[in-house]
Amino acid sequence: MATTDHGTTCVLLAPSGKPCDARGELDRRGWTFHEVHDPLPAMAQLCLLDLELATGQPDGGPVVERLAMVVVEPQDWPQLPAMLTAARRYVPQAALWSYRDGALTELSTTEPARDPPSNDVVPSSGQPASPPPPGNDRAAAEPPQISADEIDMLLDDNRRPDR
């Protein structure tokens, strides 16, 4: 049974170009959502919403009482464990949810380890990926982390004096 929770604002991380039934579920719950199609901007949006919650709504928009992130088809995002770790560290009060097979469920505090990507994957540079050096299997299996400096840069962008 869906609940109405009008004070919740969330970031909806959904694949680009695919139908997304999660919007309907969030509408039924009365949640306001910001749809994003990439994990790094999703994390940045969550941090900005947290900043708005802490400082108040500058534009007189809806009152944000609770924050959430909803990840559509979490198994499709290889960066998910790193993003969840960052979200728990930088926005610990945000609820983390997944939307999969038509159901909205809370994400567990630890996501299962993922298999490292195969070496057949062609990265965005267009060059085939080379195998990791021997003895460096752990580094190859870990997705890149979002650093504190990157989060600070995203949050402080509008406050820079040169803007």
Side-chain angles (χ1 to χ4, degrees):
M1 178 173 174
T3 60
T4 302
D5 194 1
H6 292 284
T8 300
T9 298
C10 74
V11 175
L12 175 63
L13 176 58
S16 180
K18 291 184 180 178
C20 179
D21 326 348
R23 292 182 203 116
E25 177 63 25
L26 298 178
D27 283 339
R28 278 188 290 284
R29 290 173 178 257
W31 291 11
T32 302
F33 60 92
H34 303 265
E35 189 169 340
V36 184
H37 305 289
D38 190 74
L40 186 56
M43 183 64 198
Q45 183 67 44
L46 187 65
C47 289
L48 289 171
L49 288 170
D50 180 52
L51 184 62
E52 284 181 13
L53 179 62
T55 60
Q57 297 290 93
D59 62 357
V63 174
V64 177
E65 295 175 4
R66 285 170 297 284
L67 293 177
M69 178 179 287
V70 177
V71 181
V72 175
E73 301 301 331
Q75 73 281 359
D76 293 344
W77 302 97
Q79 314 88 330
L80 185 64
M83 187 182 68
L84 294 176
T85 298
R88 287 183 185 103
R89 179 176 178 190
Y90 294 103
V91 193
Q93 67 281 8
L96 303 172
W97 298 83
S98 69
Y99 186 83
R100 186 158 127 182
D101 300 327
L104 187 63
T105 56
E106 197 162 6
L107 284 167
S108 64
T109 55
T110 56
E111 286 300 302
R114 298 185 179 278
D115 293 331
S118 75
N119 290 332
D120 300 336
V121 175
V122 177
S124 60
S125 67
Q127 300 298 321
S130 58
N136 196 13
D137 296 336
R138 184 172 182 252
E142 291 179 5
Q145 299 290 320
I146 299 171
S147 72
D149 290 337
E150 291 170 315
I151 297 296
D152 289 341
M153 178 192 68
L154 291 168
L155 292 174
D156 291 338
D157 189 49
N158 291 329
R159 295 185 221 152
R160 290 177 34 199
D162 61 337
R163 294 226 169 210

